[in-house]
Amino acid sequence: MDGISAQKKIYSGVLLVLLANDVNIDWRLDVLVREAALANVAAIAIDPEQESLPASVVSLAHRLGITLIVCREPAELYRHFLATLSDDWNTRRTSVKEILSLVATVSSLDEALSELERLLGVAVYLFDPTGFEVSERISTREFEHISSFDRLPDVGMGKTAIGSGQTLFTVPINTDMPKPFRLGIVASNPSKSDVSTLSGLMNAAALVCAHVIMRSRLVDKSGAVERRRLIEELLHSDPDNPRAEIRRRIADIGWDVSDTQSVARIACSPAVDVVAATRFVKMAFEHQGVTVNIAEVDDGWFVWPHSTAHVARRDWEKLVRTAIGEIRERIAASCGISATGNGLGEFIRSLSRAADAARIAWNRPQSGYVAVADKLGLDQLLLSWTSADKFAYTAGEFLKQLENSGRDLTKTLLAYLDAESSITETAAVLGIHRNTVSERIKRIESVLDVSLDDPETRLALHLATRAELRFGSLDASGFYA
């Protein structure tokens, strides 16, 4: 114990562990306590020969501000603290068996991540298939998104340098989803031995998370099927006379549609795993401070506020637009917002109105891929007229004549019809000279053998372009895929 007080820099704030078992308590412990106090030691761990420390020693330690820890195995306590504080994964006492045992105890992914953090002693992160961190455990935004995510292996452990000698290690969580989520932790300057140990622990952790996700998805799918069936029945119900059985099922599922409602219909590609992506949709709305009801359908979701008491129509439209912006960071989506309605009948009408608006919004990047049903005007009428498959097929074959005569012709026709036949406005939209527009219009009339001076011809072509945008291979920029 000589020299402790003289080496303040070494001992200040540390835990002093007496490794010998059954230490004989005499005057030397008093000296050690005094020396420790002078060196600013935080605590002393000791295994006394007798069952408890003398009152005089306890009083002295209390007076000098030293914490005394009485334990049977000081050496074991030392190893525990060393493992907890060390960056060396080989000294950590967590085993693969301990991690795998979580399968029997955790009931949710959030609980699994928390328990893994407890066992591993480090922060655990969850990344979606596109590389975004979704567990909301990030204290800094340094690696909120892994830009190299698509280059990480789908088997085994991948690593991404994040600066300051730190490495983000991730392993895939393999489930029935097309692309895996990944589990990640950060380690500082790990050795090859550390990486080997860490790989085993993380792969075990990924198995736990995969089990929890699969179990949750079974429950989610079951609920999603019931919600989907109910929405389909509502879409085919008479809004003026909904059946009593429909009302009962709505009550069973917990939806309150008696109040004023505005429904958002979010449409996405059929390739999207809708059930898996429901989490992101829900999170996007929660980030706006609103709890929503969500019903999954084949190509997206119907969403409406869980409680409309504090969500005014204007506020709802604004937060839907913000949520769609966040959702589109992960998946391509469009959204239609219905007019406000009150009661079950109006709720049923809102579903169809929102769905029609979402179809129109798909081809409206300038509006943020969001359309509001009661602001559509002629677009709504055109959409209803162009819903027939036969019309869509005929329109596609007719317009492809322009594609064969030059790609710019279809694009020009779209802009010209949307500009209500204004040469000047069309030129401004396309960023070309008005003479160029005039020349292209003449070529369009020649190729299609029509006169665009005829209002009925313009209407028919407008219908055709809308049908081809909705059902064909024409994209919003006027080019065929």
Side-chain angles (χ1 to χ4, degrees), residues 87-108:
D87 285 331
D88 183 359
W89 282 91
N90 289 304
T91 65
R92 297 174 186 260
R93 303 186 64 81
T94 300
S95 68
V96 168
K97 183 178 180 181
E98 281 182 286
I99 290 176
L100 292 176
S101 68
L102 293 177
V103 168
T105 59
V106 296
S107 57
S108 68

Side-chain angles (χ1 to χ4, degrees), residues 415 419 422-434 437:
S422 168
I423 296 289
T424 302
E425 187 174 341
T426 303
V429 169
L430 297 179
I432 57 178
H433 197 276
R434 62 192 313 275
V437 175

Side-chain angles (χ1 to χ4, degrees), residues 156-192:
M157 190 163 65
K159 58 182 181 179
T160 304
I162 58 173
S164 304
Q166 292 187 314
T167 302
L168 174 66
F169 288 92
T170 61
V171 291
I173 302 173
N174 293 308
T175 62
D176 63 342
M177 289 185 283
K179 293 185 178 180
F181 279 62
R182 296 185 77 91
L183 197 68
I185 68 165
V186 175
S188 302
N189 301 313
S191 65
K192 288 184 178 180

Side-chain angles (χ1 to χ4, degrees), residues 387-412:
S387 296
D389 290 342
K390 185 175 181 180
F391 181 88
Y393 175 81
T394 305
E397 293 299 305
F398 186 74
L399 290 174
K400 282 180 182 176
Q401 297 177 80
L402 294 179
E403 180 75 359
N404 297 332
S405 301
R407 301 196 73 187
D408 289 334
L409 295 185
T410 310
K411 182 179 181 179
T412 301

Side-chain angles (χ1 to χ4, degrees), residues 12-63:
S12 180
V14 305
L15 168 67
L16 192 62
V17 181
L18 301 186
L19 294 179
N21 290 336
D22 297 330
V23 175
N24 184 29
I25 303 301
D26 55 21
W27 61 270
R28 284 173 293 187
L29 183 57
D30 287 349
V31 175
L32 177 62
V33 170
R34 293 178 186 278
E35 283 283 303
L38 290 173
N40 292 329
V41 168
I44 299 173
I46 187 172
D47 178 9
E49 192 174 47
Q50 54 269 45
E51 290 188 2
S52 60
L53 292 173
S56 59
V57 175
V58 175
S59 177
L60 175 64
H62 178 73
R63 190 170 70 252

